Each structure stands twice: as C-alpha cells, then as structure tokens.
Amino acid sequence: MKLGSLKSFFKISGVVFAVSGIICLMFYILFWDLHVKIAAKNIGSFPLTCEQRVEDFEYLYNILEGAFPYFEVKKRQYGIDWLARKNEFINDVSKVGSDGEFYSLLSEILSLLQNGHTDIIAPGSEFDGYKEIYQAPRPWSQVFGNTNVNRCYEYWRTAINEEGTQSIPVLFKYVGGDYYVYQNSAVPGKADDEPGIPMGSRLVEVDGTDVHDYIRSLVNKRILEYDPIRSKFKLNTFSINTENNTELIFITPEGERVRKVFKPSASGRTEVSRSGFPEHLYSAQIIDSGKTAYLKLPSFASSYVRKDREGIRTFLEQIRNYQTLIVDIRGNGGGSTDYWMDNIVPLLTDKTLSTKNYLLFRDSEYIKPFIKQKMFAGCFSLKAVKDLSFDKGTPSVYSEYGEARRSVSESVTYDGYENGFYEELDYIVEPLDPVGFRGKIFLLVDDKVYSSAEAFASFAKATGWAVLIGTRTGGDGIGFDPVPVALPNSGLVIRFPAGMGLNPDGSINEEAATM
C-alpha cells in the first residue's frame, strides 16, 4: 500500500471511529444511561427535625405530582383531590412529634391515593425482600442498594413499633352489602367460655357510626374495594383496629339487636421466616375423575416461577384428556407475570395468543430511567397521547393525560398534561410443548385479583383463553414494576406505579379492572 493511500486509510478510519464513538455516546445517553437521581443524603443521623420531615414530604409530593398516573381517577372514584391538599399535608407533617408519628402520617397520606402499588416499603423483611429481588436490574437496584438508604433503614427497624396493632378479636366478612361475623374469640380478660359475638351476626354500628360510613372513613388507613352493584366502598374481610374500647351494635341470627363493648388486644407483628415458606404455591386436585380438574394459584410470587414449573406441567399432563379445568386465582394479589406466561398459558394453548394493551406515562424525568430499562427499544417508539385512538369500544376519560379520542377524526382535549406519551403494550404467549388439553377452561376471579394476576385475568378474557367466573377484579395489572423513590432525610423508600395501564378497549385498568 502506498504512503498516500495508507494516510487516506487511517484518515477515513479515524472519521469512522469518531462517528461510531459519537453514535455510541448518543445511544448511551438516550438509553443505557439508567442512572436515577437519588436524593437520599442522610448517613444515619436521627431523629429528624421538623424541617427535614417537611422537606421529605415536599420532595415526595413533587415526584408524585409529576409522575403518579391516577390523580384524576381517584378524584372520580373517591372524591379526593390529593394534590389540592398539599398545604394541609405539610401542616400535619410539621406537627408530628416523633419519627414514628411521621412514618404513620406519611403512610396515611399515601393511603389516600387508594392504590395498592403506592406505599412505604416497610423496614424489616419487606425492605430486605425488595433488596434481594432487585439486586441486578438497574435502576431499581440503585435505590434499594444505596448506602445512605440502607443506613437509614437500620434506624427505621427500631423506630417503628414492632408490637403491631391492637384490634377487636372479631373478624367480619362483606356479603351481599352487609358485614357478618365469620370468626371471633372470647372477650379478652374474661373466662374462656364467655362468648364474643355469635357467628353470622350482622354488624350495624361501630362506636355510634353506621358501619358503611365507618368503612368509608378508613380511606386513609386501608385500601378499599368498591361494590359497583350497590355503589358502596367495602372491605371484603376486616377487623377493627383500635387502641380504645369499642362499642359494637349487631343483629344476631335470631334477629336480636345487641350492644357490646370490646377491649382491644395486641395482634402482634408477624414475620414469616424463609424456612416457613411452602415448597410450592399451587395446589391441584381431581374433582371428578376423568372429567373435572382444579388448579389453585394463590400467588404469582417471582421466587416460585421456576420452582412450580415442573409440578404444574406434570399435573396438566395428567389431566390432558379431561373435559374441564378450573383455574382458581381468587385472592391472588400478583407477583410476576412470568408465572402465568411461562407456567400456565403456553402449556394450554396450541396457537399464539396476544392482546394489545396500552401504557400511558406522564413526562417525568424521574421515571424515565425505569421506562428505558423495562421497555428497551420501545422507548424510541413512544407516541404522544394526543395521537391515541381505539378501533373499538368507548375509552374512559383520563383527563390528566387528555381525553383519548374515540376515532381518528375526533379532537383531543388536555387538562394540564400536554406532554403525556404512551406505548402499545403487547402480551404475547407462544405454545411451549403444550400438553394437548382440549377441554373448557374456567378462570375463577374476585376483586382481590390484582397486579400480575389482574394482567392474567385481562389476558384470559381478551383472548378467549378462558371463561371468567366470579366478580370484577381488582385492577392495576397493565404495566411493570412500581417505581421506588428514596426520600432525602428519612431515607424511606416509597413505591408507586410508573404508568397508567389501559385495557384493549381503552378503559383504565385500575378503574374498570376486568369484568
């Protein structure tokens, strides 16, 4: 090669190398830079000052104001304008006298958002569990593995009351619009044979308050369900948590109206050791030999995806020639979508099944690293919410993003979030050495079906994979792992959903769930 040609070769190579470097740098900035701006700065200095607690709340408020997807939904459902109560919340925070009170108040403030994926990650086994689950995937691991956060959580292990709550020793169940006693013990401090409330008694009042008004008042302490038939907020199962003597009025099965005062007792905080976990989550049985089989899936915990796989396959192969399979996910609060996408559906279909859902995001800098990690190339195909339309059905109005149009020709209006964007979210399941089952599949559901279990119910209905039997589900199953955010001074980690999931017809999954 001549000297001139050699120089030209190196010159061209240098340009190519430089351009490649710029492209790689741009790609890193756009996608691979998954760094989260973690504000936690406390290296373990406690107790907090009033100013520090207020600073923590204001930081959290600002993050949620820009990223939380369901403010308008919750305003419609519960009549609570959370954002408008900022000054009230700050005033309450400024009055607390201890870190323990601050923790409890913050929990109540978050409870007003009435979303099962929005809460404080509790110190102890819960924080340790999340830390273990998110050892690898950035940016989640940056939050749970942060040195300052972990130092703070060592403090919170001792700052929170470990003795648990006190409660009346009676459990009630919601049935047909009313609450009935289904479990109770003797009155505390009395002889063991002294009765509590007769089983099947109907609760009427709690300390002079109608029971339904009492349940509604728990909106800052519990996640409530909704009975659309009777237009009532409810708790399917509940006990009365209180530190004070409580007067209950109830109607016995014989029709007698009875007033009784109960003294609360400590329920204690229970920690389940790893040795106490079951070998498998699922349970299976034959109801009618050769005809009907039953598979109970109480949870989709990620740690059991691989552990349960072989056993479930063995059972499904055993009943491949049955007429009916009942899959029961009632009470399943979720876990990992991999559980049903790997262990259940691909074994019970001989064709590809898919649904098209949608995920809406607000234009928040904080959640962008999480979106990048979860959506990979999908980050480059995000579209403006103003362009969102549906081929069928009538979508709900999600005014924090604007109103999704019902057809291409309809106009779009916005309510303060002109920069919202969305992504089509496809759930696709391919057959995986299917067992050859040709019978009918029934999926049992209730309003405790939530998160990844909700995604399963939505998928099963949309694809026709199973017939759903039961009640409307719990919702918030379309999307990905909740986003964690660490507060500057307390180091407490709060999680919340990154986006708003829409059903295939455009309805909001958190609000409409799956009928």
Side-chain angles (χ1 to χ4, degrees):
M1 183 178 290
K2 295 182 179 180
L3 182 59
S5 299
L6 190 62
K7 288 182 178 179
S8 177
F9 171 77
F10 282 119
K11 186 175 182 180
I12 294 174
S13 298
V15 172
V16 171
F17 181 80
V19 171
S20 299
I22 293 173
I23 292 175
C24 289
L25 179 61
M26 291 177 62
F27 185 78
Y28 173 80
I29 293 173
L30 287 172
F31 180 75
W32 286 112
D33 183 12
L34 302 178
H35 180 72
V36 182
K37 294 180 179 179
I38 301 176
K41 57 188 178 183
N42 190 348
I43 59 174
S45 176
F46 290 94
L48 301 174
T49 65
C50 175
E51 290 74 18
Q52 287 175 319
R53 294 170 190 148
V54 170
E55 181 186 359
D56 270 17
F57 173 75
E58 290 186 321
Y59 175 80
L60 175 62
Y61 180 94
N62 291 335
I63 291 290
L64 294 179
E65 183 182 30
F68 184 75
Y70 297 126
F71 287 123
E72 293 299 322
V73 170
K74 299 308 172 181
K75 190 187 299 184
R76 288 198 299 273
Q77 288 182 310
Y78 298 92
I80 297 175
D81 189 345
W82 194 88
L83 290 174
R85 297 174 64 173
K86 179 179 180 179
N87 292 335
E88 173 193 338
F89 294 148
I90 290 177
N91 185 54
D92 291 340
V93 169
S94 66
K95 291 179 179 179
V96 298
S98 68
D99 289 342
E101 291 178 7
F102 171 66
Y103 183 98
S104 297
L105 176 60
L106 197 59
S107 180
E108 291 184 5
I109 290 173
L110 291 171
S111 183
L112 288 171
L113 289 171
Q114 286 294 300
N115 174 259
H117 285 136
T118 304
D119 50 26
I120 304 175
I121 303 299
S125 61
E126 184 175 13
F127 178 80
D128 294 340
Y130 277 101
K131 186 178 177 181
E132 182 175 342
I133 291 172
Y134 294 118
Q135 289 185 63
R138 298 179 70 195
W140 280 264
S141 61
Q142 296 177 45
V143 178
F144 289 105
N146 180 271
T147 300
N148 290 348
V149 168
N150 280 265
R151 284 174 176 169
C152 290
Y153 263 82
E154 288 301 317
Y155 166 77
W156 287 108
R157 289 174 189 270
T158 61
I160 304 302
N161 179 19
E162 293 288 340
E163 296 180 356
T165 58
Q166 295 193 64
S167 62
I168 302 302
V170 184
L171 294 180
F172 300 92
K173 186 178 286 290
Y174 183 85
V175 181
D178 288 301
Y179 294 92
Y180 296 88
V181 176
Y182 84 100
Q183 182 177 327
N184 74 100
S185 60
V187 180
K190 302 295 183 181
D192 292 339
D193 60 353
E194 181 170 346
I197 303 177
M199 295 288 287
S201 296
R202 178 168 61 88
L203 182 62
V204 178
E205 294 182 8
V206 179
D207 281 336
T209 301
D210 176 81
V211 62
H212 298 291
D213 292 335
Y214 170 78
I215 293 296
R216 184 66 176 80
S217 73
L218 299 178
V219 68
N220 66 333
K221 299 183 183 299
R222 304 280 295 274
I223 300 297
L224 305 181
E225 289 91 29
Y226 185 71
D227 180 349
I229 297 175
R230 300 170 183 85
S231 301
K232 291 181 179 179
F233 293 102
K234 65 187 177 81
L235 287 171
N236 287 331
T237 302
F238 82 99
S239 61
I240 298 173
N241 298 330
T242 178
E243 297 180 354
N244 304 313
N245 289 348
T246 302
E247 180 185 83
L248 304 182
I249 295 179
F250 55 94
I251 307 297
T252 69
E254 293 73 30
E256 181 184 3
R257 184 180 178 91
V258 178
R259 177 182 285 103
K260 201 175 192 74
V261 176
F262 280 86
K263 180 180 179 181
S265 60
S267 58
R269 174 177 290 185
T270 57
E271 294 270 352
V272 179
S273 65
R274 295 191 176 280
S275 61
F277 289 157
E279 182 180 0
H280 299 291
L281 287 178
Y282 72 91
S283 59
Q285 69 182 88
I286 305 301
I287 293 178
D288 188 357
S289 182
K291 294 182 178 180
T292 305
Y294 173 86
L295 181 63
K296 173 67 175 177
L297 304 171
S299 170
F300 289 154
S302 58
S303 58
Y304 281 86
V305 174
R306 290 183 178 274
K307 191 179 296 186
D308 286 358
R309 186 168 298 162
E310 184 177 348
I312 291 175
R313 173 176 281 279
T314 299
F315 174 71
L316 295 180
E317 289 176 343
Q318 177 188 347
I319 58 96
R320 64 161 62 96
N321 295 319
Y322 276 46
Q323 299 173 5
T324 304
L325 171 62
I326 300 170
V327 181
D328 188 352
I329 60 171
R330 290 174 298 175
N332 189 325
S336 171
T337 55
D338 289 343
Y339 194 102
W340 61 268
M341 293 187 77
D342 293 350
N343 297 352
I344 310 296
V345 178
L347 281 61
L348 294 169
T349 182
D350 57 3
K351 61 182 179 180
T352 299
L353 299 174
S354 65
T355 62
K356 184 180 294 297
N357 299 83
Y358 305 86
L359 196 55
L360 277 61
F361 301 100
R362 303 176 72 184
D363 190 18
S364 163
E365 288 300 319
Y366 185 82
I367 65 174
K368 286 181 179 178
F370 299 91
I371 298 173
K372 289 179 180 179
Q373 200 281 337
K374 280 294 183 180
M375 303 190 69
F376 196 62
C379 290
F380 301 107
S381 61
L382 292 172
K383 309 173 185 69
V385 173
K386 65 182 181 180
D387 298 325
L388 180 58
S389 63
F390 301 92
D391 296 328
K392 59 182 180 179
T394 302
S396 298
V397 177
Y398 16 89
S399 58
E400 60 269 70
Y401 297 101
E403 181 179 355
R405 55 186 176 181
R406 300 188 181 99
S407 67
V408 176
S409 62
E410 288 190 76
S411 61
V412 180
T413 58
Y414 278 85
D415 186 20
Y417 292 93
E418 291 82 359
N419 296 323
F421 50 94
Y422 79 97
E423 169 67 348
E424 293 181 358
L425 187 64
D426 296 324
Y427 287 96
I428 303 173
V429 177
E430 303 276 358
L432 180 63
D433 191 17
V435 300
F437 182 79
R438 294 289 185 272
K440 195 79 170 178
I441 301 175
F442 293 95
L443 187 66
L444 305 188
V445 299
D446 63 10
D447 56 8
K448 288 294 186 182
V449 170
Y450 194 70
S451 192
S452 59
E454 163 66 30
F456 183 29
S458 175
F459 178 89
K461 179 178 179 178
T463 60
W465 178 81
V467 176
L468 271 62
I469 304 293
T471 63
R472 189 179 73 164
T473 56
D476 207 14
I478 309 301
F480 55 77
D481 310 43
V483 166
V485 54
L487 304 188
N489 301 299
S490 64
L492 290 170
V493 176
I494 283 77
R495 65 171 191 159
F496 63 92
M500 172 186 284
L502 306 185
N503 293 318
D505 66 355
S507 58
I508 300 171
N509 184 257
E510 165 75 348
E511 185 174 23
T514 300
M515 298 300 292

